Amino acid sequence: MVGYSPGRSWAFPFAGDPMTIKIVGQDEAFALMKEMKPKQPETAP
């Protein structure tokens, strides 16, 4: 599982690393995958 917090990226290293990497088990991964939503396409200006 990987997460990125752009709000913390400007304050690194004081607020902590903006990237979070965590190894999860299969059961937790399946539960998280069920909560995922497709990314909406970006609109061109």
Side-chain angles (χ1 to χ4, degrees):
M1 177 169 63
V2 176
Y4 176 66
S5 300
R8 290 196 308 186
S9 64
W10 67 271
F12 180 75
F14 305 109
D17 193 352
M19 293 293 295
T20 301
I21 300 173
K22 178 182 174 186
I23 296 175
V24 297
Q26 184 176 5
D27 293 338
E28 187 176 357
F30 281 135
L32 291 169
M33 287 175 58
K34 288 179 183 178
E35 295 177 18
M36 291 177 66
K37 298 177 183 172
K39 181 181 176 186
Q40 299 297 321
E42 297 178 18
T43 57

